[in-house]
Coordinates of all heavy atoms in Angstrom, one line a residue:
M348 N 14.5 27.3 28.6 CA 15.0 26.1 27.9 C 15.4 26.4 26.5 O 14.7 27.0 25.8 CB 13.8 25.1 28.0 CG 14.1 23.8 27.3 SD 12.8 22.6 27.4 CE 13.6 21.4 28.3
A349 N 16.6 26.0 26.2 CA 17.2 26.3 24.8 C 16.6 25.3 23.8 O 16.3 24.1 24.1 CB 18.7 26.2 24.9
F350 N 16.5 25.8 22.6 CA 16.1 25.0 21.5 C 17.3 24.1 21.0 O 18.3 24.6 20.7 CB 15.6 25.9 20.3 CG 15.1 25.1 19.1 CD1 14.0 24.4 19.1 CD2 15.9 25.2 18.0 CE1 13.5 23.7 18.0 CE2 15.5 24.5 16.8 CZ 14.3 23.8 16.9
D351 N 17.1 22.8 20.9 CA 18.1 21.9 20.5 C 18.0 21.5 19.1 O 17.4 20.5 18.7 CB 18.0 20.6 21.4 CG 19.2 19.6 21.1 OD1 20.1 20.0 20.4 OD2 19.1 18.5 21.6
L352 N 18.7 22.3 18.2 CA 18.6 22.2 16.8 C 19.3 20.9 16.4 O 18.8 20.1 15.5 CB 19.3 23.3 16.1 CG 19.2 23.3 14.5 CD1 17.8 23.2 14.0 CD2 20.0 24.5 13.9
T353 N 20.4 20.6 17.0 CA 21.2 19.3 16.7 C 20.3 18.1 17.0 O 20.3 17.2 16.2 CB 22.5 19.3 17.5 OG1 23.2 20.4 17.2 CG2 23.3 18.0 17.1
G354 N 19.7 18.1 18.2 CA 18.8 17.0 18.5 C 17.6 16.8 17.5 O 17.3 15.7 17.1
M355 N 17.0 18.0 17.1 CA 15.9 17.9 16.2 C 16.4 17.4 14.8 O 15.7 16.6 14.2 CB 15.3 19.3 16.0 CG 14.1 19.3 15.1 SD 13.4 20.9 14.9 CE 14.4 21.5 13.6
M356 N 17.6 17.8 14.4 CA 18.1 17.4 13.1 C 18.4 15.9 13.2 O 18.2 15.1 12.2 CB 19.4 18.1 12.7 CG 19.1 19.6 12.4 SD 17.8 19.9 11.2 CE 18.7 19.3 9.7
G357 N 18.8 15.4 14.3 CA 19.0 13.9 14.5 C 17.7 13.2 14.4 O 17.7 12.1 13.8
K358 N 16.7 13.7 14.9 CA 15.3 13.1 14.8 C 14.8 13.1 13.4 O 14.3 12.1 12.9 CB 14.3 13.8 15.7 CG 14.4 13.5 17.2 CD 13.9 12.1 17.4 CE 13.8 11.8 18.9 NZ 13.5 10.4 19.2
V359 N 15.1 14.2 12.7 CA 14.7 14.3 11.3 C 15.4 13.2 10.5 O 14.8 12.5 9.6 CB 14.9 15.7 10.7 CG1 14.7 15.7 9.2 CG2 13.9 16.7 11.4
K360 N 16.7 13.1 10.7 CA 17.5 12.1 10.0 C 17.0 10.7 10.3 O 16.9 9.8 9.4 CB 19.0 12.2 10.3 CG 19.9 11.2 9.8 CD 20.0 11.3 8.3 CE 21.1 10.4 7.7 NZ 20.6 9.6 6.6
E361 N 16.7 10.4 11.6 CA 16.2 9.1 12.0 C 14.9 8.8 11.3 O 14.6 7.7 10.8 CB 16.1 9.1 13.5 CG 15.6 7.7 14.1 CD 15.5 7.7 15.6 OE1 15.8 8.7 16.2 OE2 15.0 6.7 16.1
L362 N 14.0 9.8 11.3 CA 12.7 9.7 10.6 C 12.9 9.4 9.1 O 12.3 8.5 8.6 CB 11.9 10.9 10.8 CG 10.5 10.9 10.1 CD1 9.6 9.8 10.6 CD2 9.8 12.2 10.3
Q363 N 13.8 10.1 8.5 CA 14.1 9.9 7.0 C 14.6 8.4 6.8 O 14.2 7.8 5.9 CB 15.1 10.9 6.5 CG 14.6 12.3 6.3 CD 15.7 13.2 5.9 OE1 16.9 13.1 6.3 NE2 15.3 14.3 5.2
D364 N 15.5 8.0 7.7 CA 16.0 6.6 7.5 C 14.9 5.6 7.7 O 14.8 4.6 7.0 CB 17.1 6.4 8.6 CG 18.4 7.2 8.3 OD1 18.5 7.7 7.1 OD2 19.2 7.3 9.2
K365 N 14.0 5.8 8.7 CA 12.9 4.9 9.0 C 11.9 4.9 7.8 O 11.4 3.8 7.4 CB 12.2 5.2 10.3 CG 13.0 5.0 11.5 CD 13.1 3.5 11.8 CE 13.8 3.3 13.2 NZ 13.8 1.9 13.5
M366 N 11.7 6.1 7.3 CA 10.7 6.2 6.1 C 11.3 5.4 4.9 O 10.6 4.7 4.2 CB 10.5 7.6 5.8 CG 9.7 8.4 6.8 SD 8.0 7.9 7.0 CE 7.3 8.8 5.6
Q367 N 12.6 5.6 4.7 CA 13.2 4.9 3.5 C 13.2 3.4 3.7 O 12.8 2.7 2.8 CB 14.7 5.4 3.3 CG 15.3 4.8 2.1 CD 16.8 5.3 1.9 OE1 17.3 5.9 2.8 NE2 17.3 5.1 0.7
Q368 N 13.5 2.9 4.9 CA 13.4 1.5 5.2 C 12.0 1.0 5.0 O 11.7 -0.1 4.5 CB 13.9 1.2 6.6 CG 13.8 -0.2 7.0 CD 14.3 -0.4 8.5 OE1 14.4 0.5 9.2 NE2 14.4 -1.7 8.9
A369 N 11.0 1.8 5.5 CA 9.6 1.4 5.4 C 9.2 1.3 3.9 O 8.5 0.4 3.5 CB 8.7 2.3 6.1
Q370 N 9.6 2.3 3.1 CA 9.3 2.3 1.7 C 9.8 1.0 1.0 O 9.2 0.4 0.1 CB 9.9 3.5 1.0 CG 9.2 4.8 1.3 CD 7.8 4.8 0.7 OE1 7.6 4.2 -0.4 NE2 6.8 5.4 1.3
Q371 N 11.0 0.6 1.4 CA 11.6 -0.6 0.8 C 10.8 -1.9 1.2 O 10.6 -2.8 0.4 CB 13.1 -0.8 1.2 CG 14.0 0.3 0.5 CD 15.4 0.3 1.1 OE1 15.7 -0.4 2.1 NE2 16.2 1.1 0.5
E372 N 10.4 -1.9 2.4 CA 9.6 -3.1 2.9 C 8.2 -3.1 2.4 O 7.6 -4.2 2.2 CB 9.7 -3.1 4.4 CG 11.1 -3.4 5.0 CD 11.1 -3.4 6.5 OE1 10.1 -3.5 7.1 OE2 12.3 -3.4 7.0
I373 N 7.6 -1.9 2.1 CA 6.3 -1.8 1.6 C 6.1 -2.6 0.3 O 5.1 -3.1 0.0 CB 5.8 -0.4 1.6 CG1 5.5 0.1 3.0 CG2 4.6 -0.2 0.7 CD1 5.2 1.6 3.0
Q374 N 7.2 -2.5 -0.5 CA 7.1 -3.2 -1.8 C 6.8 -4.7 -1.7 O 6.3 -5.3 -2.6 CB 8.3 -2.9 -2.7 CG 9.5 -3.6 -2.2 CD 10.7 -3.2 -3.0 OE1 10.6 -2.6 -4.1 NE2 11.9 -3.6 -2.6
H375 N 7.1 -5.3 -0.5 CA 7.0 -6.7 -0.3 C 5.6 -7.0 0.3 O 5.3 -8.2 0.4 CB 8.1 -7.2 0.6 CG 9.5 -7.0 0.0 ND1 9.9 -7.7 -1.2 CD2 10.5 -6.2 0.3 CE1 11.1 -7.3 -1.5 NE2 11.5 -6.4 -0.6
I376 N 4.8 -6.0 0.7 CA 3.5 -6.3 1.1 C 2.6 -6.6 0.0 O 2.7 -5.9 -1.1 CB 2.9 -5.0 1.8 CG1 3.7 -4.8 3.2 CG2 1.4 -5.1 2.1 CD1 3.3 -3.5 3.8
T377 N 1.8 -7.6 0.1 CA 0.8 -7.9 -1.0 C -0.6 -8.1 -0.4 O -0.7 -8.5 0.7 CB 1.2 -9.2 -1.8 OG1 1.2 -10.3 -0.9 CG2 2.5 -9.1 -2.5
A378 N -1.5 -7.8 -1.2 CA -2.9 -7.9 -0.9 C -3.7 -8.4 -2.1 O -3.4 -8.0 -3.2 CB -3.5 -6.6 -0.4
T379 N -4.7 -9.2 -1.9 CA -5.5 -9.8 -3.0 C -6.9 -9.4 -2.8 O -7.5 -9.5 -1.7 CB -5.4 -11.3 -3.1 OG1 -4.0 -11.6 -3.3 CG2 -6.2 -11.9 -4.2
G380 N -7.5 -8.9 -3.9 CA -9.0 -8.6 -3.9 C -9.7 -9.6 -4.9 O -9.1 -9.9 -5.9
E381 N -10.9 -9.9 -4.5 CA -11.7 -10.9 -5.3 C -13.0 -10.2 -5.7 O -13.5 -9.3 -5.0 CB -12.0 -12.1 -4.5 CG -10.9 -13.0 -4.1 CD -11.4 -14.3 -3.4 OE1 -12.6 -14.4 -3.2 OE2 -10.5 -15.1 -3.2
A382 N -13.5 -10.7 -6.8 CA -14.8 -10.3 -7.3 C -15.5 -11.5 -7.9 O -14.8 -12.4 -8.3 CB -14.7 -9.1 -8.3
G383 N -16.8 -11.5 -7.9 CA -17.6 -12.6 -8.6 C -17.4 -13.9 -7.8 O -17.3 -14.9 -8.5
G384 N -17.3 -13.8 -6.5 CA -17.1 -15.1 -5.7 C -15.8 -15.7 -6.0 O -15.7 -17.0 -5.9
G385 N -14.8 -15.0 -6.3 CA -13.5 -15.5 -6.6 C -13.2 -15.8 -8.0 O -12.1 -16.3 -8.4
L386 N -14.1 -15.5 -8.9 CA -13.9 -15.7 -10.4 C -12.8 -14.8 -10.9 O -12.1 -15.2 -11.9 CB -15.1 -15.5 -11.2 CG -16.3 -16.6 -10.9 CD1 -17.5 -16.2 -11.6 CD2 -15.8 -18.0 -11.3
V387 N -12.6 -13.7 -10.3 CA -11.5 -12.7 -10.7 C -10.8 -12.3 -9.4 O -11.4 -12.0 -8.4 CB -12.1 -11.5 -11.4 CG1 -11.0 -10.5 -11.7 CG2 -12.8 -11.8 -12.7
R388 N -9.5 -12.5 -9.5 CA -8.6 -12.1 -8.3 C -7.5 -11.2 -8.8 O -6.8 -11.5 -9.8 CB -8.0 -13.4 -7.7 CG -9.1 -14.3 -7.1 CD -8.5 -15.6 -6.7 NE -7.2 -15.6 -6.0 CZ -7.1 -15.7 -4.6 NH1 -8.1 -15.8 -3.9 NH2 -5.9 -15.6 -4.1
A389 N -7.2 -10.1 -8.1 CA -6.1 -9.2 -8.4 C -5.3 -9.1 -7.2 O -5.7 -9.0 -6.0 CB -6.7 -7.9 -8.8
T390 N -3.9 -9.1 -7.4 CA -3.0 -9.0 -6.3 C -2.2 -7.8 -6.5 O -1.6 -7.5 -7.6 CB -2.1 -10.2 -6.2 OG1 -2.9 -11.4 -6.0 CG2 -1.1 -10.1 -5.1
A391 N -2.1 -6.9 -5.5 CA -1.3 -5.6 -5.6 C -0.3 -5.6 -4.5 O -0.4 -6.3 -3.5 CB -2.3 -4.5 -5.4
N392 N 0.7 -4.7 -4.7 CA 1.8 -4.6 -3.6 C 1.5 -3.3 -2.9 O 0.6 -2.5 -3.2 CB 3.2 -4.6 -4.2 CG 3.5 -3.5 -5.1 OD1 2.9 -2.4 -5.1 ND2 4.6 -3.6 -5.8
G393 N 2.3 -3.0 -1.9 CA 2.2 -1.8 -1.1 C 2.4 -0.5 -1.8 O 2.0 0.5 -1.3
H394 N 2.9 -0.6 -3.0 CA 3.1 0.7 -3.8 C 1.9 0.8 -4.8 O 2.0 1.6 -5.7 CB 4.4 0.6 -4.5 CG 5.6 0.8 -3.7 ND1 5.9 2.0 -3.0 CD2 6.6 0.0 -3.3 CE1 7.0 1.9 -2.3 NE2 7.4 0.7 -2.4
R395 N 0.9 0.1 -4.5 CA -0.4 0.1 -5.3 C -0.2 -0.2 -6.8 O -0.7 0.4 -7.7 CB -1.0 1.5 -5.1 CG -1.3 1.9 -3.7 CD -1.9 3.3 -3.6 NE -1.9 3.7 -2.2 CZ -1.2 4.7 -1.7 NH1 -0.5 5.4 -2.5 NH2 -1.2 5.0 -0.5
K396 N 0.6 -1.2 -7.0 CA 0.8 -1.7 -8.4 C 0.3 -3.2 -8.4 O 0.5 -4.0 -7.5 CB 2.3 -1.8 -8.7 CG 3.0 -0.4 -8.6 CD 2.5 0.5 -9.7 CE 3.2 1.8 -9.6 NZ 2.6 2.9 -10.2
I397 N -0.4 -3.5 -9.5 CA -1.0 -4.8 -9.7 C 0.1 -5.7 -10.1 O 0.9 -5.5 -11.0 CB -2.1 -4.8 -10.8 CG1 -3.3 -3.9 -10.3 CG2 -2.6 -6.2 -11.1 CD1 -3.9 -4.4 -9.0
L398 N 0.3 -6.8 -9.3 CA 1.3 -7.8 -9.6 C 0.8 -9.0 -10.4 O 1.5 -9.6 -11.1 CB 1.9 -8.3 -8.3 CG 2.5 -7.3 -7.4 CD1 2.9 -7.9 -6.0 CD2 3.6 -6.6 -8.0
K399 N -0.5 -9.3 -10.2 CA -1.1 -10.5 -10.7 C -2.6 -10.4 -10.9 O -3.2 -9.8 -10.1 CB -0.8 -11.7 -9.8 CG -1.2 -13.1 -10.3 CD -0.7 -14.1 -9.3 CE -1.1 -15.5 -9.7 NZ -0.7 -16.5 -8.7
L400 N -3.1 -10.9 -12.0 CA -4.5 -10.9 -12.3 C -4.9 -12.3 -12.7 O -4.3 -12.9 -13.6 CB -4.9 -9.9 -13.4 CG -6.3 -9.8 -13.8 CD1 -7.1 -9.2 -12.6 CD2 -6.5 -8.8 -15.0
E401 N -5.9 -12.9 -12.0 CA -6.3 -14.3 -12.3 C -7.8 -14.2 -12.7 O -8.6 -13.6 -12.0 CB -6.2 -15.2 -11.1 CG -4.8 -15.3 -10.6 CD -4.7 -16.0 -9.2 OE1 -4.9 -17.2 -9.1 OE2 -4.5 -15.3 -8.2
I402 N -8.1 -14.8 -13.8 CA -9.5 -14.8 -14.3 C -9.9 -16.3 -14.6 O -9.2 -17.0 -15.3 CB -9.6 -14.0 -15.7 CG1 -9.1 -12.6 -15.4 CG2 -11.0 -14.1 -16.2 CD1 -9.0 -11.8 -16.7
D403 N -11.0 -16.7 -14.0 CA -11.5 -18.0 -14.1 C -11.9 -18.2 -15.6 O -12.5 -17.4 -16.2 CB -12.7 -18.3 -13.2 CG -13.2 -19.7 -13.2 OD1 -13.9 -20.1 -14.1 OD2 -12.7 -20.4 -12.3
E404 N -11.5 -19.4 -16.1 CA -11.8 -19.7 -17.6 C -13.2 -19.6 -17.9 O -13.6 -19.3 -19.1 CB -11.2 -21.1 -17.9 CG -9.7 -21.1 -18.0 CD -9.2 -22.5 -18.4 OE1 -9.9 -23.2 -19.1 OE2 -8.0 -22.8 -18.0
S405 N -14.1 -19.8 -17.0 CA -15.6 -19.8 -17.3 C -16.0 -18.4 -17.8 O -17.1 -18.3 -18.4 CB -16.4 -20.2 -16.1 OG -16.3 -19.3 -15.0
L406 N -15.2 -17.4 -17.5 CA -15.6 -16.0 -17.9 C -15.0 -15.6 -19.2 O -15.2 -14.5 -19.7 CB -15.1 -15.0 -16.8 CG -15.7 -15.1 -15.4 CD1 -15.0 -14.2 -14.5 CD2 -17.2 -14.8 -15.5
L407 N -14.3 -16.5 -19.9 CA -13.6 -16.1 -21.1 C -14.5 -16.4 -22.4 O -14.0 -16.9 -23.3 CB -12.3 -16.8 -21.2 CG -11.3 -16.5 -20.0 CD1 -10.0 -17.2 -20.2 CD2 -11.0 -15.0 -20.0
T408 N -15.7 -16.0 -22.3 CA -16.6 -16.2 -23.4 C -17.0 -14.8 -23.9 O -17.1 -13.9 -23.1 CB -17.8 -17.0 -23.1 OG1 -18.6 -16.3 -22.1 CG2 -17.5 -18.4 -22.5
P409 N -17.3 -14.7 -25.2 CA -17.7 -13.3 -25.7 C -18.9 -12.7 -25.0 O -18.9 -11.5 -24.8 CB -18.0 -13.6 -27.2 CG -17.3 -14.8 -27.5 CD -17.2 -15.7 -26.2
Q410 N -19.9 -13.5 -24.6 CA -21.1 -12.9 -24.0 C -20.8 -12.5 -22.6 O -21.6 -11.7 -22.0 CB -22.2 -13.9 -24.0 CG -22.0 -15.2 -23.3 CD -21.5 -16.3 -24.3 OE1 -20.7 -16.0 -25.2 NE2 -21.9 -17.5 -24.1
D411 N -19.7 -12.9 -22.0 CA -19.4 -12.4 -20.6 C -18.4 -11.3 -20.5 O -17.9 -10.9 -19.5 CB -18.8 -13.6 -19.8 CG -19.8 -14.7 -19.5 OD1 -21.0 -14.3 -19.3 OD2 -19.5 -15.9 -19.4
R412 N -18.1 -10.7 -21.7 CA -17.0 -9.7 -21.8 C -17.3 -8.5 -20.9 O -16.4 -8.0 -20.1 CB -16.8 -9.2 -23.2 CG -15.7 -8.2 -23.4 CD -15.3 -8.0 -24.8 NE -14.5 -9.2 -25.1 CZ -14.4 -9.7 -26.3 NH1 -15.1 -9.2 -27.3 NH2 -13.6 -10.7 -26.5
D413 N -18.5 -7.9 -20.9 CA -18.9 -6.8 -20.0 C -18.8 -7.1 -18.6 O -18.3 -6.3 -17.8 CB -20.3 -6.2 -20.4 CG -20.3 -5.6 -21.7 OD1 -19.2 -5.1 -22.2 OD2 -21.4 -5.5 -22.3
M414 N -19.3 -8.3 -18.2 CA -19.3 -8.7 -16.8 C -17.8 -8.9 -16.4 O -17.4 -8.5 -15.3 CB -20.0 -10.0 -16.6 CG -20.0 -10.4 -15.1 SD -21.0 -11.9 -14.7 CE -20.1 -13.1 -15.6
L415 N -17.0 -9.4 -17.2 CA -15.6 -9.7 -16.9 C -14.9 -8.3 -16.6 O -14.2 -8.2 -15.6 CB -14.9 -10.4 -18.1 CG -13.4 -10.6 -17.9 CD1 -13.1 -11.4 -16.6 CD2 -12.8 -11.3 -19.1
A416 N -15.1 -7.3 -17.4 CA -14.5 -6.0 -17.2 C -14.9 -5.4 -15.9 O -14.1 -4.9 -15.1 CB -14.9 -5.1 -18.4
D417 N -16.2 -5.6 -15.5 CA -16.7 -5.1 -14.2 C -16.0 -5.8 -13.1 O -15.7 -5.2 -12.1 CB -18.2 -5.2 -14.1 CG -19.0 -4.3 -15.1 OD1 -18.4 -3.3 -15.6 OD2 -20.2 -4.5 -15.3
L418 N -15.9 -7.1 -13.2 CA -15.3 -7.9 -12.1 C -13.8 -7.6 -12.0 O -13.3 -7.5 -10.9 CB -15.5 -9.4 -12.4 CG -16.9 -9.9 -12.2 CD1 -17.0 -11.4 -12.7 CD2 -17.5 -9.7 -10.8
V419 N -13.1 -7.4 -13.1 CA -11.7 -7.0 -13.0 C -11.6 -5.7 -12.3 O -10.7 -5.5 -11.4 CB -11.1 -6.9 -14.4 CG1 -9.7 -6.3 -14.4 CG2 -11.0 -8.4 -15.0
V420 N -12.4 -4.7 -12.6 CA -12.3 -3.4 -12.0 C -12.6 -3.5 -10.5 O -11.8 -3.0 -9.7 CB -13.3 -2.4 -12.6 CG1 -13.5 -1.1 -11.8 CG2 -12.8 -2.0 -14.0
A421 N -13.6 -4.3 -10.1 CA -13.9 -4.5 -8.7 C -12.7 -5.2 -7.9 O -12.4 -4.8 -6.9 CB -15.2 -5.3 -8.6
A422 N -12.2 -6.2 -8.5 CA -11.1 -7.0 -7.9 C -9.9 -6.1 -7.7 O -9.2 -6.1 -6.7 CB -10.8 -8.2 -8.6
V423 N -9.5 -5.4 -8.8 CA -8.3 -4.5 -8.7 C -8.5 -3.4 -7.7 O -7.6 -3.1 -6.9 CB -8.1 -3.9 -10.1 CG1 -7.1 -2.7 -10.0 CG2 -7.6 -4.9 -11.1
N424 N -9.7 -2.8 -7.6 CA -9.9 -1.7 -6.6 C -9.8 -2.3 -5.2 O -9.3 -1.6 -4.3 CB -11.3 -1.0 -6.9 CG -11.2 -0.1 -8.1 OD1 -10.1 0.4 -8.4 ND2 -12.3 0.1 -8.7
K425 N -10.4 -3.5 -5.0 CA -10.3 -4.1 -3.6 C -8.8 -4.4 -3.3 O -8.4 -4.1 -2.1 CB -11.1 -5.4 -3.6 CG -12.6 -5.1 -3.6 CD -13.4 -6.5 -3.5 CE -14.8 -6.2 -3.6 NZ -15.6 -7.5 -3.6
A426 N -8.1 -4.9 -4.2 CA -6.6 -5.2 -3.9 C -5.9 -3.9 -3.6 O -5.1 -3.9 -2.7 CB -6.0 -5.9 -5.1
L427 N -6.1 -2.9 -4.4 CA -5.4 -1.6 -4.2 C -5.8 -1.0 -2.9 O -4.9 -0.4 -2.2 CB -5.7 -0.6 -5.3 CG -5.1 -1.0 -6.7 CD1 -5.5 0.0 -7.8 CD2 -3.6 -1.1 -6.6
D428 N -7.1 -1.0 -2.5 CA -7.5 -0.5 -1.2 C -6.8 -1.2 -0.1 O -6.3 -0.6 0.9 CB -9.0 -0.5 -1.1 CG -9.7 0.4 -1.9 OD1 -9.1 1.4 -2.5 OD2 -11.0 0.3 -2.1
E429 N -6.8 -2.5 -0.1 CA -6.2 -3.4 0.9 C -4.7 -3.1 1.0 O -4.1 -3.0 2.1 CB -6.5 -4.8 0.7 CG -5.9 -5.8 1.7 CD -6.5 -5.7 3.1 OE1 -7.6 -5.1 3.3 OE2 -5.8 -6.1 4.1
A430 N -4.0 -3.1 -0.2 CA -2.6 -2.8 -0.2 C -2.2 -1.5 0.4 O -1.3 -1.3 1.2 CB -2.0 -2.9 -1.6
A431 N -3.0 -0.4 0.1 CA -2.8 0.9 0.7 C -3.0 0.9 2.2 O -2.2 1.5 2.9 CB -3.8 1.9 0.1
E432 N -4.0 0.2 2.7 CA -4.2 0.1 4.1 C -3.0 -0.7 4.8 O -2.5 -0.2 5.9 CB -5.5 -0.7 4.4 CG -5.8 -0.9 5.9 CD -5.9 0.4 6.7 OE1 -6.4 1.4 6.1 OE2 -5.6 0.4 7.9
L433 N -2.6 -1.8 4.2 CA -1.4 -2.5 4.8 C -0.2 -1.7 4.8 O 0.6 -1.7 5.7 CB -1.2 -3.8 4.1 CG -2.3 -4.9 4.3 CD1 -2.1 -6.0 3.3 CD2 -2.4 -5.3 5.7
A434 N 0.0 -0.9 3.7 CA 1.2 -0.1 3.6 C 1.2 1.1 4.7 O 2.2 1.4 5.3 CB 1.3 0.5 2.2
A435 N 0.0 1.6 4.9 CA -0.1 2.7 5.9 C 0.1 2.1 7.3 O 0.8 2.8 8.1 CB -1.5 3.3 5.8
Q436 N -0.3 0.9 7.5 CA -0.1 0.3 8.8 C 1.4 0.1 9.0 O 2.0 0.3 10.1 CB -0.8 -1.0 9.0 CG -2.3 -0.8 9.1 CD -3.1 -2.1 9.0 OE1 -2.5 -3.2 9.1 NE2 -4.4 -2.1 8.9
E437 N 2.1 -0.4 8.0 CA 3.5 -0.7 8.1 C 4.3 0.6 8.3 O 5.2 0.7 9.1 CB 4.0 -1.4 6.8 CG 5.5 -1.6 6.8 CD 6.0 -2.7 7.8 OE1 5.1 -3.4 8.4 OE2 7.2 -2.8 8.0
L438 N 3.9 1.7 7.6 CA 4.6 3.0 7.7 C 4.4 3.5 9.1 O 5.3 4.0 9.8 CB 4.1 3.9 6.7 CG 4.8 5.3 6.6 CD1 6.2 5.1 6.3 CD2 4.1 6.2 5.6
K439 N 3.2 3.4 9.6 CA 2.9 3.9 11.0 C 3.7 3.1 12.0 O 4.3 3.6 13.0 CB 1.4 3.7 11.3 CG 1.0 4.3 12.6 CD -0.5 4.2 12.8 CE -1.0 4.8 14.1 NZ -2.4 4.7 14.3
R440 N 3.8 1.8 11.8 CA 4.6 0.9 12.7 C 6.0 1.3 12.7 O 6.7 1.4 13.8 CB 4.4 -0.6 12.3 CG 5.0 -1.5 13.3 CD 4.7 -3.0 12.9 NE 5.4 -3.4 11.7 CZ 6.8 -3.7 11.7 NH1 7.5 -3.6 12.8 NH2 7.3 -4.1 10.6
K441 N 6.6 1.5 11.5 CA 8.0 1.9 11.4 C 8.4 3.2 12.0 O 9.5 3.4 12.5 CB 8.4 1.8 9.9 CG 8.6 0.5 9.4 CD 9.8 -0.2 9.9 CE 9.9 -1.6 9.3 NZ 10.9 -2.4 10.0
T442 N 7.4 4.2 11.9 CA 7.8 5.5 12.4 C 7.1 5.9 13.7 O 7.2 7.0 14.2 CB 7.3 6.6 11.3 OG1 5.9 6.4 11.1 CG2 8.0 6.4 10.0
S443 N 6.6 4.9 14.4 CA 5.9 5.1 15.7 C 6.9 5.7 16.7 O 8.0 5.2 16.8 CB 5.4 3.8 16.2 OG 4.8 4.0 17.5
G444 N 6.5 6.8 17.3 CA 7.4 7.4 18.3 C 8.3 8.4 17.8 O 9.0 9.1 18.5
L445 N 8.5 8.5 16.5 CA 9.5 9.4 15.9 C 8.8 10.8 15.6 O 9.5 11.8 15.6 CB 10.1 8.9 14.6 CG 11.0 7.6 14.8 CD1 11.4 7.1 13.4 CD2 12.2 8.0 15.6
M446 N 7.5 10.7 15.3 CA 6.8 12.0 15.0 C 5.8 12.2 16.1 O 5.1 11.3 16.5 CB 6.1 11.9 13.6 CG 7.1 11.9 12.4 SD 7.9 13.5 12.2 CE 6.6 14.5 11.7
P447 N 5.6 13.5 16.5 CA 4.5 13.7 17.4 C 3.2 13.5 16.7 O 3.0 13.5 15.5 CB 4.7 15.2 17.7 CG 5.4 15.8 16.6 CD 6.3 14.7 16.0
N448 N 2.2 13.1 17.5 CA 0.8 12.9 17.0 C 0.2 14.2 16.8 O -0.3 14.9 17.7 CB 0.0 12.0 18.0 CG -1.3 11.7 17.4 OD1 -1.6 11.8 16.3 ND2 -2.2 11.1 18.3
V449 N 0.2 14.6 15.5 CA -0.3 15.9 15.1 C -1.6 15.7 14.4 O -1.6 15.1 13.3 CB 0.7 16.7 14.2 CG1 0.1 18.1 13.8 CG2 2.0 16.9 14.9
P450 N -2.8 16.2 15.0 CA -4.0 16.0 14.3 C -4.0 16.6 12.9 O -3.5 17.7 12.7 CB -5.0 16.8 15.2 CG -4.4 16.8 16.5 CD -2.9 16.9 16.2
G451 N -4.5 15.9 11.9 CA -4.5 16.4 10.5 C -3.2 16.1 9.8 O -3.1 16.4 8.6
L452 N -2.1 15.6 10.4 CA -0.9 15.4 9.7 C -1.1 14.2 8.8 O -1.4 13.1 9.2 CB 0.2 15.1 10.7 CG 1.6 14.8 10.1 CD1 2.1 16.0 9.3 CD2 2.6 14.4 11.2
D453 N -0.9 14.4 7.5 CA -1.1 13.4 6.5 C 0.3 13.0 5.9 O 0.9 13.8 5.3 CB -2.0 13.9 5.4 CG -2.3 12.9 4.4 OD1 -1.9 11.7 4.5 OD2 -2.9 13.2 3.3
L454 N 0.7 11.7 6.2 CA 2.0 11.2 5.7 C 1.8 10.4 4.4 O 2.7 9.8 3.9 CB 2.7 10.3 6.7 CG 3.1 11.0 8.0 CD1 3.7 10.0 9.0 CD2 4.0 12.2 7.7
S455 N 0.6 10.6 3.7 CA 0.4 9.8 2.5 C 1.3 10.2 1.4 O 1.6 9.3 0.5 CB -1.1 10.0 2.1 OG -1.3 11.3 1.7
G456 N 1.9 11.3 1.4 CA 2.8 11.7 0.4 C 4.1 10.9 0.5 O 4.9 11.0 -0.4
F457 N 4.3 10.2 1.6 CA 5.5 9.4 1.8 C 5.3 8.0 1.4 O 6.1 7.1 1.7 CB 6.0 9.5 3.2 CG 6.5 10.9 3.6 CD1 5.7 11.7 4.3 CD2 7.8 11.3 3.2 CE1 6.2 13.0 4.7 CE2 8.2 12.5 3.6 CZ 7.4 13.4 4.3
G458 N 4.1 7.7 0.7 CA 3.9 6.4 0.2 C 2.9 5.5 1.0 O 2.7 4.4 0.8
A459 N 2.4 6.1 2.0 CA 1.4 5.4 2.9 C 0.0 5.5 2.3 O -0.3 6.5 1.8 CB 1.5 5.8 4.3

């Protein structure tokens, strides 16, 4: 059986196109993380960038400054984790069937 370089190159090009399309769509994925029972909410996109931070006015007192910082960190981390998971799912959905299932293959360098 002969090696089909042209066919393989076509698959690589198709994969590149699908990855680029997925990257563009991932920016529209949003996820929100909450902390303190919803007192602090952070929203991130699929590229792991914070888009919005909401802080309940009850936390804006000098004595709550340390707690506020902790809640912001917790909410941001939850939003980033969720956005990364949603982006990975979208990337997997877009490239399904284009790449063989290779154990240990990590596509996180492509934005997932």
